[in-house]
Amino acid sequence: MDEKIGKTKIQHFVPQFFQRYFSFNNNGKTIGMFNVNNNVFIPSAPIRTQLCGDYLYGKSGDLETWLSELETKSAPIFRAMWENEQLPKYESITQLEMLHFLIVLDLRNPIRFNLLQDFEKLIKNTKSSITGNNVPTDLVTVFKELQSERGKIKSLISAVEIVPNVIDLKYKLLKNVTEKPFIISDNPLAIYNQFLEKRKWNFVSQRGYGSMGLQMFLPLNDKYMLLVYDADVYKVGNKKETVVELNHLESINQLNILQFLNSTDTINFNHRASEHYIKTLYEKSLRYKKANEAFVNIHRIDDGKGGVKPLEEAIEVGVTDMKINLVVQKINFLSKSVGIKLNDSFAQLRKGVKMNDINVYKKTTAANSGLAN
């Protein structure tokens, strides 16, 4: 057991194989780093020390071993994207493996674990709009369990169950032909939703995996980015092309700013990113609110007669989204998307999706809120 612990002490939440796609001068060993908190730019830092933590997935090594096996299987899929401009075929095993990797990459990030701690604290201090007392804290037990090693294992391994709910999404490669490179962060899968942003939808989160209008942006190296998107809402390039060239510098800048807003504190890049460019992007990113901040709100429940139900309320548990009024060259709304109507549900789901995994709701009544005591 001690030998196993020693081998897995440094546990990367962004795989080293993925970081190597952005390595300095393609050396496969070092990567550029900018620390957002202290404004420090380092052109070349060891990949082994980047985007990792000690025993992040526990000391048993079981989850780290499982993640390593997933990475070994996934690496050729993503390398083929930027090396050969080759995407998985639709309705193939490779497509499922690609989507599985994306979901795990999102769920394994420390931001997810930190949000659970924040939710726990917020729930404990949230007051009922009906009684004025604290709301029930049974959700705290759930949050605590998810933070444990057992909870992390269960969450990540069950990610495969989410894949059927994103298999409807289409995907293309965005090819950056400008002089500025794509960059990544300590949370590189940037999940956005231009559609719900435009509709000013503000409940819980616009980026649940089942959300209507979902977009996932994942930089693959300095020149290529994978875009996974809701094809019932967006048109990306021409219908037949799987690789869409972007020569509009402002589009590249906006996509890079998403990495700043989605990050905790670290931006990474290769030799093509100058200190001036990274710091300029950082300054621009300060205009916007960062994503991934936890919040808890209390809502009264409509009684359908113009009033509210006197003894019921709903607890909204969510995270802040990135909202920069994103406009990217060759990503456009389909004309039919104008006619899409939003319903009165908290979650605006795509057709065929039966879950909204990223969001948590709790409906409380007089009995469990303490009003009946």
Side-chain angles (χ1 to χ4, degrees):
M1 178 64 74
D2 291 340
E3 182 181 357
K4 191 174 187 180
I5 290 176
K7 287 182 179 179
T8 59
K9 178 180 180 180
I10 299 178
Q11 300 175 354
H12 291 80
F13 50 88
V14 177
Q16 292 186 78
F17 87 79
F18 203 85
Q19 293 187 57
R20 293 188 187 104
Y21 297 164
F22 295 84
S23 64
F24 188 82
N25 284 329
N26 303 312
N27 63 15
K29 297 179 180 179
T30 62
I31 192 170
M33 187 273 285
F34 176 71
N35 187 288
V36 173
N37 292 338
N38 57 26
N39 205 31
V40 171
F41 179 96
I42 300 175
S44 183
I47 286 175
R48 186 176 182 276
T49 64
Q50 292 296 300
L51 313 183
C52 60
D54 288 352
Y55 302 124
L56 184 63
Y57 304 112
K59 292 187 176 182
S60 71
D62 294 337
L63 185 51
E64 176 71 0
T65 298
W66 182 83
L67 288 169
S68 179
E69 292 171 353
L70 175 66
E71 292 166 13
T72 299
K73 182 170 59 176
S74 303
I77 299 172
F78 289 90
R79 187 176 187 88
M81 292 181 191
W82 60 263
E83 196 170 60
N84 303 318
E85 296 186 346
Q86 178 182 328
L87 285 167
K89 293 181 179 180
Y90 287 114
E91 299 180 349
S92 69
I93 295 297
T94 309
Q95 177 193 5
L96 299 180
E97 291 173 342
M98 175 191 75
L99 294 172
H100 186 213
F101 177 86
L102 295 181
I103 293 168
V104 172
L105 182 65
D106 184 32
L107 294 179
R108 71 189 286 185
N109 196 277
I111 280 181
R112 287 285 193 165
F113 311 143
N114 294 336
L115 279 171
L116 294 171
Q117 295 176 10
D118 293 340
F119 285 145
E120 184 181 334
K121 294 175 184 176
L122 289 171
I123 284 289
K124 289 180 179 178
N125 295 307
T126 299
K127 302 291 183 181
S128 166
S129 62
I130 301 174
T131 67
N133 299 323
N134 287 343
V135 298
T137 57
D138 48 329
L139 280 175
V140 171
T141 303
V142 177
F143 296 142
K144 283 185 177 295
E145 170 61 23
L146 290 173
Q147 294 174 60
S148 67
E149 181 175 354
R150 177 183 175 185
K152 292 175 182 178
I153 291 174
K154 183 178 179 180
S155 174
L156 292 180
I157 290 180
S158 64
V160 69
E161 299 173 9
I162 300 173
V163 172
N165 289 285
V166 293
I167 200 170
D168 63 302
L169 300 173
K170 302 299 182 184
Y171 44 93
K172 291 190 176 186
L173 288 176
L174 302 180
K175 185 176 182 179
N176 176 3
V177 296
T178 74
E179 61 181 7
K180 300 301 182 182
F182 284 136
I183 62 176
I184 58 169
S185 73
D186 53 21
N187 190 23
L189 183 65
I191 303 180
Y192 206 90
N193 197 319
Q194 289 177 283
F195 173 73
L196 290 182
E197 178 182 38
K198 185 176 182 179
R199 293 295 187 91
K200 300 186 184 304
W201 184 260
N202 294 314
F203 285 104
V204 184
S205 176
Q206 299 178 354
R207 55 197 167 112
Y209 297 130
S211 293
M212 187 185 303
L214 186 70
Q215 298 162 300
M216 298 182 184
F217 297 94
L218 181 66
L220 301 171
N221 69 358
D222 61 340
K223 293 183 180 180
Y224 291 93
M225 177 177 290
L226 174 66
L227 168 59
V228 181
Y229 64 99
D230 183 352
D232 286 333
V233 174
Y234 309 106
K235 176 184 177 183
V236 181
N238 296 325
K239 186 175 182 180
K240 293 183 179 180
E241 63 183 350
T242 58
V243 181
V244 180
E245 288 194 358
L246 304 182
N247 60 16
H248 185 225
L249 181 56
E250 184 54 30
S251 293
I252 304 304
N253 291 342
Q254 286 195 50
L255 291 171
N256 281 338
I257 285 173
L258 295 185
Q259 292 296 315
F260 280 88
L261 300 181
N262 205 44
S263 71
T264 298
D265 55 29
T266 304
I267 301 296
N268 294 100
F269 40 84
N270 73 0
H271 52 281
R272 293 183 57 218
S274 68
E275 181 172 2
H276 175 73
Y277 180 59
I278 294 298
K279 289 189 174 180
T280 298
L281 288 175
Y282 171 60
E283 291 298 324
K284 289 182 177 180
S285 75
L286 296 177
R287 304 172 188 173
Y288 309 104
K289 186 178 179 64
K290 290 198 73 168
N292 307 307
E293 295 181 2
F295 65 83
V296 176
N297 293 321
I298 299 294
H299 296 279
R300 300 305 300 270
I301 298 175
D302 191 340
D303 65 2
K305 302 176 182 178
V308 296
K309 295 181 179 181
L311 302 179
E312 293 186 21
E313 61 188 3
I315 303 174
E316 177 193 5
V317 179
V319 295
T320 56
D321 296 299
M322 293 181 286
K323 296 180 181 180
I324 66 170
N325 293 316
L326 181 67
V327 177
V328 177
Q329 179 188 20
K330 298 183 181 178
I331 299 180
N332 299 301
F333 289 102
L334 292 172
S335 57
K336 68 177 183 178
S337 69
V338 177
I340 297 176
K341 294 183 179 180
L342 304 185
N343 56 43
D344 58 0
S345 301
F346 282 123
Q348 300 300 310
L349 302 181
R350 299 188 304 278
K351 294 179 181 178
V353 174
K354 299 179 181 180
M355 46 73 80
N356 193 32
D357 53 273
I358 199 171
N359 303 330
V360 179
Y361 284 99
K362 178 76 174 178
K363 185 176 180 181
T364 61
T365 63
N368 63 26
S369 67
L371 191 64
N373 294 335

